Amino acid sequence: MAMEWITAMDKRPCDRNLRDVELISCRLRRVEPLCRLPGSALQQLAMCGFYEDLEKGVTLFRAGEQGRFWYAVLGGSLEVRYHAHSDADGKSSVTLCNLGVGATFGESILHDLPRDSTVVTKTTCELLRVEQQDFRLIWEKNKELMNDIITNCKIKNGFGPGVQPAGATSPTKRPLSPDHPNPALPITETPSPAMNRMGWALRTLLVVDNSSCLKDRKVSGKLIRKCAPGTELVDWLVNLAPIVHTRAQAAGMWQALLEEGVLTHVNKEQPFKDKCFLYRFRLDEEGGAAAAGTPSAEDLNAANEHIREALSALFQRGPDATLRMILRKPSHERTPEELELVFEELVHIAALSHLSTSIKRELSSIIVFEAHAQAGTILFNQGDEGRSWYILLKGSVDVVIHGKGTVATLKTGDDFGKLALINDAPRYTLLLYRYTVMSGTPNKMLEHLLETRLGQSVSGMDPFLDDFLLTHIVFMPVVQLVDELANYFHCDAHEEAQTPEDREYIINFKKRVIQFMQKWVMAVRHAAFEEPSVCDFIEDLAAEVEADPDLNEETSIIHNVLTQMARYQEDRNQNAGQKWKLPTNGQPICLFSGNATPSKTVIRPDDDIIFRVYCADHTYCTLRFPMHTTAELIKACAADKLQLNRGPDDLCLVEVKSNGERSVFKDNDVSIPTGLSLNGRLFVSVKDHLDALTPLPEQECPTEGVDIDLEILSTKELAYHITIFEWDLFWAVHEYELLYHTFGRHHFGKITANLDVFLRRFNEVQYWIVTELVSTPSLSKRVGLVRKFIKLAAYCKEYQNLNAFFAIVMGLSNMAVTRLHQTWEKIPSKFRKIFQEFEALIDPSRNHRAYRVFVGKLQPPLIPFMPLLLKDMTFAHEGNKTSLDGLVNFEKMHMMAQTMRTIRFCRSRSLGLEPPSPKSEGEVRSYISSFRVIDNQRVLTAMSQKVEPTRKLN
């Protein structure tokens, strides 16, 4: 075995295989200081190095010769000689130093300088020889570490500082450099207060626990205070926290502490691993009074309280910390599973969206994480050689040009540095080419669209045009948009004499307006026709096209728009007079009259709805109003009917939920009845007497539904009809409703009734699961129900009904269900494993990354998890101003439109599921349309404790 590495080294570099490289690398690792190089550098040396076994007295090179090789001493010793001038023979040899094992020499080849000394073997020697070209490549990739090694070697042998670029000062080691990342070291200089506190709390519990793994141990003959193996720390954390289901999750939480320096490997050589490596807390490493002694009872209580409050935050940090650890590992050390995790992350980075899947997979093995904790850190200077491409994951970067100062600020998601990298050019400046329109006035953006984004030369989907069409209602109301388009279309109305060039320009502009209208109708469908001025303008366009021969080419376009408008008007007339009712027993909103085919029925602003309004003594009145009626009008009418002798300013309209919580509506809010929660009721009250409002007795009872034995229903048939029912609800939601919901309905005077009904359905399914389980006193039947619900979730996932899938899994994860230990103990391990996989899919950590990756691989049709889409909209809205210095922030509009396009994508194909063999189709349809539901968590928990009382500890 000892000679195998020499056999491998004797081969030509092109003939060496992976085993040869590994054998040579193992030999090099035994040589100090080469062992300090990262594994990737050692592998490169092993790939291109040559082995030399030289006798005593052999001259490797002489002073003044041009160098071709760099050497490292693996065995024996050499003399470094300097030839000084002498009066006798003109030259005399002076031995400057001896080079032993681990010494390196010959680095003058980096700058093509002649040798400044002569090197001769003093004994039989073993050398590693690397050619100039190969050494330069290795040096560039590991410059700082290689320079440290050469510097230490020269200083040790009495020479000056090592090789440095001209004008450079003494090197400062930067352990977080991407050239040699070290996942065992922290990414911050000091831990954040939150992580420091969490580390203190965990250490306190470990120290107090006499049976814990935190003990004094001897490592290489040295006593290490209070350290523990990674495996035992993982075991302890899994047992401590119910939210931690897997060992990988626990390891990620410990890594989150390690990357901030709260926890460290005893030798600072390993990131956190679920293995027998020893780790200790920073407090014990620093020593002092704080680490000595046993924590007091007060400290223990504080630690327990903090763990209960903040452990979930550490749990959410775990996956990100694991990813950063992988990105700081050398490429060859990343496992296939880790590469797949990195790839899934790269799929969702906007800066890489234009790259193919194969390129992203290649990037997975070479991309590196770099952190800079200090503001003002210079990533590279103007004129530096381009060596890296950067993607900004968090924070911001200023771009500074000599003589101009800061010319741009890059933010999260931006990338930079690739231009100099591709062109092999020095850094000069930064080209911002991410989104064409960052901000502007509404009129100027419309003008830009008409002039540059429409016409015969433009083809395919234009993101800017699509973003404008989907979001213009935020910054440019429909009436204003139509007026501007009319002005552009009739720009020749006051022109008396026109040259042929002017006429051609005007005709082209008219054509672009017509094309704009077509794309507008295609983008937003029936919503484009809801404003009467739009229909009038379309008819005006049609008349102009018919009368003007120059517009004949646009005839088919305008006919298409007219056809869409006629269909909209026919559908509207057909469904005119629809009436809805909000049942008094807590059931969902349903049609009262007006549509013989309720499938895919859209709730319209002028549809009537019948509902009740209560007052403090629980008396009520029944009202009928259009959906777009304001809260102000509803409260005034209800107060009049209920004979509340108060002025409108003294009254308010309030929702009282089943748990007693009250929510006051704004006077200009609309779509009130559809916005009520499960089991919520509408009250009118004097503003000063809101505390007197109490829930109705029936609000704590289940909503009325079909009484049926779930066990007799086919699970697959149940999932099928749930999906069909919810697809109809999802189909009725217009993308604009997401904007109305995010910015506030009162800002637009528009209803969100269809979105309200769809969101209510999510809560209905979730609480239906809980209600059924805690209402079942028989243990065996509860076990059967849990199994049935897990199968139901699986079928919904198969049907790509992810909204219902989330609702079912979250229902099974409800506190009132998870505490049913006797029930869960009897669930077969197969079902428990499936449920754990489902929980991992809905895991909210890393912004629901698991779910986003899963959905990214699906094809339409599918029903998405709507609450997450609304969360994305809210995040974009609250995190970005709508206008900046009087200009529309179009980057924000782009983010909004991206979410709205997701809705469009999910519905881009019609739902065509294969129906299962019908067993009780009528019963199932009736049952799934209105579940029995209790949404009061206090009542559900009490019912849960009744069917399974808490076990008393002896």
Side-chain angles (χ1 to χ4, degrees):
M1 290 293 290
M3 297 299 294
E4 281 187 351
W5 79 273
I6 297 179
T7 304
M9 198 74 169
D10 279 340
K11 295 181 181 179
R12 292 181 301 174
C14 61
D15 294 333
R16 293 172 192 164
N17 56 32
L18 289 176
R19 174 165 172 76
D20 296 333
V21 171
E22 187 56 37
L23 287 170
I24 299 168
S25 298
C26 287
R27 173 65 178 90
L28 298 181
R29 283 192 190 99
R30 303 208 309 264
V31 179
E32 174 67 33
L34 295 182
C35 62
R36 299 207 298 269
L37 289 172
S40 57
L42 288 175
Q43 284 194 330
Q44 287 174 299
L45 288 173
M47 280 294 296
C48 63
F50 293 86
Y51 173 73
E52 291 201 6
D53 186 5
L54 303 177
E55 298 293 330
K56 175 182 176 182
V58 176
T59 301
L60 272 76
F61 52 76
R62 301 182 185 278
E65 292 180 353
Q66 194 66 34
R68 293 176 50 215
F69 306 107
W70 172 82
Y71 298 88
V73 183
L74 305 180
S77 63
L78 303 94
E79 282 186 352
V80 178
R81 298 174 180 172
Y82 176 69
H83 294 275
H85 288 283
S86 168
D87 293 336
D89 57 5
K91 284 186 179 179
S92 64
S93 177
V94 178
T95 300
L96 298 177
C97 66
N98 294 322
L99 301 177
V101 175
T104 63
F105 57 95
E107 61 276 358
S108 62
I109 61 175
L110 287 171
H111 307 295
D112 291 321
L113 297 176
R115 304 294 193 186
D116 57 1
S117 57
T118 300
V119 177
V120 181
T121 58
K122 188 177 180 182
T123 64
T124 300
C125 291
E126 291 180 303
L127 302 176
L128 174 71
R129 173 170 59 84
V130 180
E131 293 185 346
Q132 182 180 31
Q133 182 179 359
D134 294 325
F135 181 66
R136 278 180 170 169
L137 291 174
I138 298 172
W139 172 273
E140 285 302 319
K141 292 183 178 180
N142 305 275
K143 186 179 295 184
E144 294 179 11
L145 268 180
M146 292 291 288
N147 197 41
D148 281 349
I149 291 171
I150 291 170
T151 300
N152 292 336
C153 177
K154 290 206 166 199
I155 292 174
K156 178 180 178 181
N157 291 291
F159 289 87
V163 177
Q164 296 178 9
T169 57
S170 60
T172 55
K173 189 173 181 179
R174 190 163 67 109
L176 303 182
S177 166
D179 291 332
H180 51 280
N182 188 348
L185 299 178
I187 62 175
T188 58
E189 293 186 357
T190 56
S192 64
M195 296 298 278
N196 216 5
R197 179 74 173 171
M198 176 55 70
W200 170 84
L202 291 171
R203 179 188 176 278
T204 299
L205 297 185
L206 278 165
V207 171
V208 170
D209 185 357
N210 293 327
S211 62
S212 80
C213 49
L214 212 60
K215 299 174 182 176
D216 296 346
R217 291 177 169 86
K218 275 194 174 183
V219 179
S220 301
K222 182 180 178 182
L223 183 65
I224 304 295
R225 298 287 184 185
K226 292 186 176 63
C227 59
T231 51
E232 296 183 22
L233 286 172
V234 168
D235 289 336
W236 181 82
L237 190 56
V238 169
N239 293 328
L240 172 73
I243 62 172
V244 183
H245 300 294
T246 65
R247 299 184 68 83
Q249 290 173 336
M253 295 165 74
W254 287 117
Q255 176 62 28
L257 292 167
L258 187 144
E259 73 174 8
E260 291 219 17
V262 175
L263 188 78
T264 61
H265 178 250
V266 292
N267 291 328
K268 293 185 171 55
E269 294 176 351
Q270 297 289 342
F272 189 87
K273 294 181 180 178
D274 186 9
K275 295 184 178 180
C276 293
F277 296 118
L278 294 175
Y279 301 90
R280 60 176 170 173
F281 287 93
R282 175 177 178 168
L283 198 62
D284 296 311
E285 184 182 23
E286 294 174 346
T294 304
S296 63
E298 184 178 345
D299 287 340
L300 180 60
N301 291 336
N304 275 314
E305 183 177 351
H306 186 73
I307 290 292
R308 282 195 297 271
E309 294 175 355
L311 195 63
S312 61
L314 181 63
F315 179 79
Q316 292 181 6
R317 285 178 180 240
D320 286 334
T322 301
L323 179 67
R324 285 190 287 267
M325 181 268 290
I326 296 169
L327 292 177
R328 296 165 69 208
K329 291 171 68 173
S331 299
H332 67 278
E333 293 181 10
R334 299 177 188 177
T335 65
E337 293 79 13
E338 290 173 340
L339 291 175
E340 185 63 25
L341 182 64
V342 176
F343 169 73
E344 290 176 354
E345 181 74 21
L346 299 186
V347 168
H348 296 276
I349 294 180
L352 306 178
S353 59
H354 63 289
L355 299 178
S356 66
T357 299
S358 59
I359 292 177
K360 287 175 186 172
R361 289 198 178 277
E362 289 183 36
L363 283 174
S364 301
S365 63
I366 60 172
I367 198 164
V368 174
F369 175 80
E370 182 175 0
H372 297 279
Q374 291 286 340
T377 302
I378 298 174
L379 296 180
F380 52 76
N381 288 297
Q382 187 173 337
D384 287 352
E385 179 188 356
R387 293 181 52 219
S388 300
W389 173 32
Y390 298 84
I391 301 170
L392 194 56
L393 297 180
K394 187 177 180 182
S396 61
V397 173
D398 286 337
V399 181
V400 181
I401 295 179
H402 297 326
K404 295 184 179 180
T406 301
V407 296
T409 298
L410 306 178
K411 298 180 180 179
T412 301
D414 288 328
D415 64 290
F416 57 97
K418 59 174 176 275
L419 202 61
L421 190 65
I422 293 170
N423 296 337
D424 195 22
R427 305 286 188 188
Y428 174 63
T429 184
L430 186 67
L431 178 64
L432 287 175
Y433 186 70
R434 288 188 48 77
Y435 204 74
T436 309
V437 177
M438 306 292 288
S439 60
T441 64
N443 293 346
K444 282 294 183 183
M445 286 193 291
L446 178 60
E447 181 182 345
H448 175 74
L449 276 172
L450 293 172
E451 290 182 349
T452 65
R453 304 307 178 100
L454 292 163
Q456 295 179 350
S457 61
V458 180
S459 60
M461 195 198 84
D462 183 349
F464 172 48
L465 175 59
D466 199 51
D467 293 348
F468 184 95
L469 295 173
L470 288 174
T471 62
H472 74 85
I473 57 173
V474 175
F475 54 86
M476 194 176 199
V478 173
V479 174
Q480 182 186 346
L481 176 58
V482 170
D483 286 345
E484 289 295 326
L485 289 172
N487 290 336
Y488 283 118
F489 191 81
H490 298 296
C491 60
D492 61 336
H494 304 292
E495 296 286 340
E496 296 181 358
Q498 295 176 352
T499 64
E501 292 79 8
D502 290 341
R503 178 62 182 166
E504 183 182 358
Y505 175 80
I506 290 169
I507 290 299
N508 284 333
F509 228 92
K510 287 177 181 285
K511 290 179 178 180
R512 289 172 179 175
V513 171
I514 295 170
Q515 292 169 20
F516 181 92
M517 290 304 300
Q518 181 198 30
K519 291 186 179 294
W520 188 13
V521 170
M522 289 172 59
V524 303
R525 305 179 310 285
H526 64 79
F529 306 116
E530 290 182 349
E531 186 65 44
S533 61
V534 177
C535 298
D536 294 340
F537 181 57
I538 290 173
E539 291 174 356
D540 183 24
L541 291 181
E544 287 271 356
V545 169
E546 189 175 351
D548 193 338
D550 291 330
L551 296 175
N552 283 342
E553 295 177 5
E554 313 306 309
T555 303
S556 61
I557 294 178
I558 201 65
H559 280 177
N560 178 266
V561 174
L562 286 171
T563 301
Q564 296 294 329
M565 187 170 73
R567 286 178 183 171
Y568 164 77
Q569 291 172 342
E570 181 184 352
D571 180 60
R572 190 172 185 81
N573 293 334
Q574 182 181 344
N575 296 312
Q578 281 186 163
K579 297 182 183 64
W580 302 81
K581 66 176 180 179
L582 186 65
T584 59
N585 48 21
Q587 291 176 308
I589 184 175
C590 59
L591 264 176
F592 184 69
S593 66
N595 192 336
T597 57
S599 176
K600 289 188 176 179
T601 302
V602 176
I603 303 175
R604 304 182 187 281
D606 50 1
D607 288 353
D608 282 351
I609 183 168
I610 301 168
F611 57 97
R612 286 181 178 180
V613 180
Y614 296 82
C615 62
D617 61 0
H618 292 182
T619 58
Y620 65 87
C621 65
T622 302
L623 301 178
R624 172 179 163 182
F625 278 109
M627 288 286 183
H628 60 72
T629 304
T630 62
E632 185 177 22
L633 184 55
I634 292 174
K635 78 175 180 182
C637 187
D640 181 57
K641 283 198 170 188
L642 293 169
Q643 298 180 352
L644 299 178
N645 298 319
R646 293 295 187 99
D649 293 340
D650 297 330
L651 298 172
C652 59
L653 200 62
V654 187
E655 178 193 2
V656 177
K657 300 180 182 179
S658 61
N659 60 2
E661 185 181 334
R662 306 170 191 90
S663 178
V664 179
F665 291 98
K666 297 176 181 177
D667 280 351
N668 57 354
D669 210 347
V670 294
S671 188
I672 304 298
T674 59
L676 297 180
S677 63
L678 290 172
N679 263 325
R681 298 293 188 274
L682 204 56
F683 281 72
V684 62
S685 170
V686 178
K687 290 180 179 178
D688 297 337
H689 296 167
L690 289 180
D691 292 341
L693 300 181
T694 57
L696 305 178
E698 60 263 30
Q699 285 184 256
E700 293 192 352
C701 300
T703 58
E704 288 187 15
V706 177
D707 192 10
I708 195 170
D709 186 0
L710 263 177
E711 293 182 0
I712 68 172
L713 299 180
S714 161
T715 308
K716 188 169 186 178
E717 191 175 0
L718 200 61
Y720 170 80
H721 286 291
I722 286 174
T723 301
I724 295 295
F725 182 82
E726 295 187 3
W727 175 260
D728 289 345
L729 298 181
F730 177 52
W731 182 89
V733 178
H734 194 277
E735 294 94 319
Y736 275 176
E737 293 190 54
L738 275 71
L739 285 176
Y740 302 151
H741 182 278
T742 304
F743 286 87
R745 295 173 296 205
H746 55 282
H747 289 300
F748 304 92
K750 299 288 187 179
I751 68 168
T752 58
N754 299 288
L755 178 60
D756 294 338
V757 171
F758 185 56
L759 291 174
R760 185 190 188 281
R761 176 66 179 184
F762 176 85
N763 293 325
E764 185 183 1
V765 173
Q766 179 183 351
Y767 283 106
W768 162 62
I769 300 291
V770 186
T771 304
E772 288 293 335
L773 286 168
V774 300
S775 301
T776 305
S778 168
L779 176 60
S780 60
K781 285 190 175 183
R782 280 201 309 278
V783 172
L785 275 180
V786 171
R787 293 176 58 176
K788 192 176 192 72
F789 288 145
I790 292 174
K791 288 171 65 178
L792 182 63
Y795 280 125
C796 286
K797 181 186 173 192
E798 180 183 330
Y799 287 143
Q800 298 192 164
N801 182 358
L802 302 179
N803 203 61
F805 169 79
F806 260 77
I808 295 165
V809 177
M810 289 177 71
L812 289 171
S813 302
N814 186 282
M815 180 179 64
V817 176
T818 56
R819 65 164 302 280
L820 300 174
H821 300 298
Q822 296 175 36
T823 304
W824 286 101
E825 285 170 0
K826 293 187 177 295
I827 300 298
S829 59
K830 172 186 173 182
F831 281 88
R832 285 205 301 268
K833 184 178 179 181
I834 293 172
F835 182 62
Q836 286 178 354
E837 292 173 359
F838 289 169
E839 283 190 306
L841 186 55
I842 73 167
D843 180 11
S845 63
R846 294 168 61 209
N847 195 16
H848 284 278
R849 180 46 52 98
Y851 166 76
R852 294 182 192 274
V853 170
F854 174 75
V855 170
K857 299 174 182 177
L858 299 182
Q859 292 298 316
L862 64 100
I863 305 177
F865 178 40
M866 184 62 79
L868 182 58
L869 295 177
L870 291 175
K871 176 188 171 185
D872 291 343
M873 294 284 286
T874 303
F875 179 80
H877 174 50
E878 295 180 350
N880 301 273
K881 294 182 178 179
T882 303
S883 61
L884 301 168
D885 300 325
L887 303 177
V888 177
N889 180 6
F890 210 76
E891 276 287 301
K892 175 177 178 176
M893 299 304 113
H894 176 62
M895 289 187 280
M896 295 284 185
Q898 288 283 64
T899 304
M900 297 167 75
R901 271 190 286 272
T902 300
I903 300 287
R904 182 199 295 171
F905 171 77
C906 293
R907 297 187 298 211
S908 58
R909 294 180 187 170
S910 58
L911 186 68
L913 298 180
E914 176 105 14
S917 302
K919 295 182 179 179
S920 48
E921 186 174 347
E923 287 183 332
V924 173
R925 282 184 176 178
S926 178
Y927 178 69
I928 62 99
S929 65
S930 180
F931 292 123
R932 293 173 62 253
V933 172
I934 298 173
D935 70 332
N936 188 327
Q937 189 63 49
R938 177 181 54 80
V939 174
L940 291 170
T941 304
M943 293 173 68
S944 173
Q945 290 172 340
K946 185 176 180 181
V947 297
E948 270 193 35
T950 304
R951 295 176 181 175
K952 294 183 179 179
L953 298 176
N954 295 325

